[in-house]
Amino acid sequence: MLIAGFPAGAWGTNCFLVAPAAGEECVIIDPGHQAALGVEETLKKHRLKPVAVVLTHGHIDHVASVVPVCGAHDVPAWIHPEDRFMMSDPEKALGRTIGMQLMGELTVGEPDDVKELADGAKLELAGLELTVAHAPGHTKGSVTFGLPETADIPPILFSGDLLFAGSIGRTDFPGGSMDDMLESLARVVLPLDDSTVVLPGHNEQTTIGRERATNPYLRQVAAGPGAHVDAPRRGM
């Protein structure tokens, strides 16, 4: 398994390229602001051929490079239908203009081929099986992508802005909801094995075991109804 990731753009959004091995087909996850050059460099370095772009949600820091990346390689983009509008109208998705002066040249809109994700779907792409889990809270259409454990790697969760090391994504943008976020954490994250490696939308990787023990939001969910935590949230 090859997973190559890099932080891109003004918000340091993690973009991942995933393939069975170097020299094979790959999937690109969340090509955000100023990610196109990093995608091309990573493809060349590992001799990869992209077959699809998949998106954890529609915020501009995760989708800003979708049009040029999909166009350059004639591949589809997969996104949950609740977040599809954000590709064409990023300001509506955020409720206000956030750092648009930092964006530089920005191609707003949809690529030629857009496919919609559904909860529980299993995407067979590039010799991989990505399991989709709808996980609203940060946005209405947020999803995670899971890869199963193999002989060589533990299970992997691409968590987008649902779960970070020590924190969770913001819920104060349009479509965000703390109630939905906590429900998604309980339904999507808590059942996962402690060995699961979490590759989030921002900052460093972690594991479910580490977050179960230290993340105040997961501890709140595990404690059940009535528990409360007042801790910072991250991401755009």
Side-chain angles (χ1 to χ4, degrees):
M1 176 73 66
L2 170 67
I3 300 176
F6 61 92
W11 293 282
T13 304
N14 291 328
C15 177
F16 297 101
L17 286 77
V18 189
E24 299 194 25
E25 293 182 335
C26 74
V27 172
I28 301 168
I29 301 176
D30 287 356
H33 179 224
Q34 297 180 344
L37 179 59
V39 166
E40 296 306 318
E41 291 175 344
T42 305
L43 290 172
K44 182 176 180 180
K45 177 180 179 180
H46 298 288
R47 298 172 288 109
L48 300 172
K49 175 180 172 53
V51 298
V53 167
V54 297
L55 303 167
T56 62
H57 64 287
H59 280 161
I60 194 67
D61 60 322
H62 289 252
V63 307
S65 295
V66 169
V67 170
V69 169
C70 287
H73 300 281
D74 192 26
V75 299
W78 292 77
I79 191 168
H80 192 276
E82 291 272 15
D83 277 13
R84 182 169 177 171
F85 77 94
M86 297 184 187
M87 290 193 286
S88 300
D89 196 351
E91 291 187 49
K92 183 178 179 182
L94 296 173
R96 59 190 172 97
T97 302
I98 295 182
M100 293 304 286
Q101 299 91 336
L102 300 175
M103 299 300 289
E105 285 193 31
L106 179 64
T107 305
V108 175
E110 294 189 356
D112 291 338
D113 188 2
V114 178
K115 300 181 184 299
E116 295 187 345
L117 297 166
D119 185 42
K122 294 188 183 299
L123 303 182
E124 302 282 350
L125 299 168
L128 307 168
E129 183 181 88
L130 292 169
T131 300
V132 180
H134 186 210
H138 183 61
T139 67
K140 289 185 178 180
S142 289
V143 302
T144 65
F145 300 107
L147 282 172
E149 181 178 13
T150 69
D152 301 320
I153 62 167
I156 294 171
L157 179 74
F158 296 95
S159 64
D161 286 6
L162 171 67
L163 180 69
F164 301 131
S167 190
I168 58 173
R170 293 172 59 168
T171 59
D172 57 337
F173 293 128
S177 165
M178 178 55 78
D179 287 344
D180 287 347
M181 176 69 79
L182 296 177
E183 190 279 332
S184 292
L185 291 171
R187 175 177 49 85
V188 175
V189 175
L190 279 185
L192 298 176
D193 190 86
D194 282 354
S195 67
T196 302
V197 174
V198 180
L199 299 178
H202 299 271
N203 303 313
E204 71 274 14
Q205 75 178 50
T206 184
T207 66
I208 293 296
R210 174 184 168 190
E211 297 311 300
R212 199 188 309 277
T214 63
N215 189 305
Y217 296 95
L218 276 191
R219 295 178 72 175
Q220 174 185 349
V221 171
H228 176 72
V229 63
D230 184 13
R233 283 162 275 166
R234 301 177 183 171
M236 195 188 79

